[in-house]
Amino acid sequence: MSQIIAVTAGKGGTGKSTTSANLAHALASMGKRTLVVELDFGLRCLDIMLGIRDKAKHDIGDYLEGTIDILSATTKVEFVDNLYLVCATKNPFMDINPEKVMGVCEEMREHFEFIIIDTAGVGSSVFSVIKAAELVLMVSTPDPVCVRDSAMLSDFLYVKNSTNQKLIINKVHSTFKDDNALYDLDEVMDTVGIPLLGVVPEDNTIRVCGAKGLPLPPNCDGAKAYKAIAKRLLGEDVPLTININ
Ligand SMILES: Nc1ncnc2c1ncn2[C@@H]1O[C@H](COP(=O)(O)OP(=O)(O)OP(=O)(O)O)[C@@H](O)[C@H]1O
Ligand SMILES: [Mg+2]
């Protein structure tokens, strides 16, 4: 059985693309055939994060225009087996046709065990795509503005029938409890109101590897966090990997 996962957030820059790339990498390293579909039309970044850059010959825009089939729009990630990407179109004015995008995902089910959709922005076409996913991952930082927006988006999606939602708290630094401006993990969970799937540390290695298109070194804190999240997705009971003072 394949699973379609929509990665979303109530705010920009919280780490949707970073989460999509690293969670996909963790799943692929565990032998799961994984596809990432980038829906950030006009603002692609996953080709950089996954070390593909100009090697992507086609993108989802070519498919939506009908010039190629969808398998031709996928590009293999070189640094790990089992991981493929469908790049976003470079055209910011292209409409996201939700039926066609979900058609892509449905067609891909026979080829991949996990299909991770990196969504962007809020709008009816993005909501339609999210609605069709089996699981929504809400990425929030501990910042109260981000948490409040995550809670609002989560409630909205719930009303629209996206009832299977899980929370990833991102950019948590080890001394964040001392920062009065931020919520602690319990406050984030209580405010957003959905089950926690994982906590990812603020880790400069994550930022640098994303910018350089390199896989995370397996022993860095970020890689451990994504591996734990991947295992939880596969049904394992794994403790949090982050130590908070
Ligand atoms: N856990 C982390 N530790 C350190 N840096 C991080 C972490 N997560 C994300 N970042 C950095 O934060 C920035 C924004 O991340 P990213 O592009 O993944 O966010 P996004 O939600 O996809 O943004 P957008 O709304 O623009 O699509 C990037 O520079 C990324 O490297
Ligand atoms: Mg993004």
Side-chain angles (χ1 to χ4, degrees):
M1 268 292 284
S2 62
Q3 195 177 16
I4 299 176
I5 300 173
V7 179
T8 193
K11 215 174 161 304
T14 58
K16 296 177 291 294
S17 302
T18 302
T19 303
S20 301
N22 287 301
L23 175 57
H25 178 219
L27 287 165
S29 315
M30 292 156 90
K32 305 290 169 194
R33 277 183 69 81
T34 304
L35 176 70
V36 185
V37 180
E38 182 176 33
L39 278 193
D40 207 344
F41 281 23
L43 295 169
R44 60 162 71 164
C45 68
L46 279 168
D47 56 331
I48 292 180
M49 288 184 178
L50 290 170
I52 287 173
R53 286 187 182 248
D54 300 335
K55 280 171 243 154
K57 289 202 181 71
H58 295 292
D59 58 43
I60 198 166
D62 301 324
Y63 168 77
L64 294 176
E65 280 168 354
T67 53
I68 54 164
D69 64 62
I70 189 57
L71 278 181
S72 307
T74 64
T75 307
K76 190 183 176 319
V77 175
E78 283 180 1
F79 57 64
V80 64
D81 286 340
N82 303 310
L83 183 53
Y84 294 77
L85 170 68
V86 177
C87 289
T89 171
K90 289 176 182 163
N91 177 0
F93 300 109
M94 182 168 245
D95 280 337
I96 300 181
N97 178 326
E99 282 77 33
K100 278 199 168 176
V101 172
M102 286 327 292
V104 170
C105 295
E106 289 302 329
E107 212 178 307
M108 288 306 202
R109 278 186 193 277
E110 64 175 287
H111 303 284
F112 295 96
E113 289 164 276
F114 286 93
I115 298 164
I116 297 177
I117 310 176
D118 178 12
T119 70
V122 281
S124 54
S125 49
V126 172
F127 289 145
S128 305
V129 172
I130 291 176
K131 202 159 86 179
E134 277 106 27
L135 172 65
V136 175
L137 292 186
M138 184 69 64
V139 182
S140 181
T141 70
D143 176 79
V145 174
C146 185
V147 173
R148 203 272 313 269
D149 289 349
S150 304
M152 283 169 60
L153 179 61
S154 170
D155 288 349
F156 182 83
L157 292 176
Y158 199 91
V159 171
K160 296 280 178 193
N161 285 332
S162 288
T163 51
N164 190 21
Q165 301 181 29
K166 298 234 164 85
L167 175 66
I168 292 181
I169 308 179
N170 189 31
K171 301 192 184 184
V172 176
H173 52 86
S174 57
T175 56
F176 93 118
K177 267 192 162 175
D178 303 331
D179 188 335
N180 291 331
L182 298 178
Y183 283 160
D184 66 31
L185 296 187
D186 287 335
E187 283 173 307
V188 179
M189 284 188 277
D190 290 348
T191 310
V192 182
I194 56 178
L196 183 68
L197 185 67
V199 177
V200 179
E202 172 104 48
D203 178 354
N204 200 41
T205 312
I206 294 178
R207 195 183 58 77
V208 172
C209 287
K212 292 189 170 175
L214 297 171
L216 289 174
N219 286 327
C220 75
D221 290 343
K224 287 181 194 160
Y226 291 115
K227 192 170 181 191
I229 291 171
K231 284 185 171 179
R232 287 184 205 112
L233 271 182
L234 296 171
E236 284 185 49
D237 194 5
V238 188
L240 288 184
T241 56
I242 184 167
N243 287 323
I244 295 150
N245 299 325

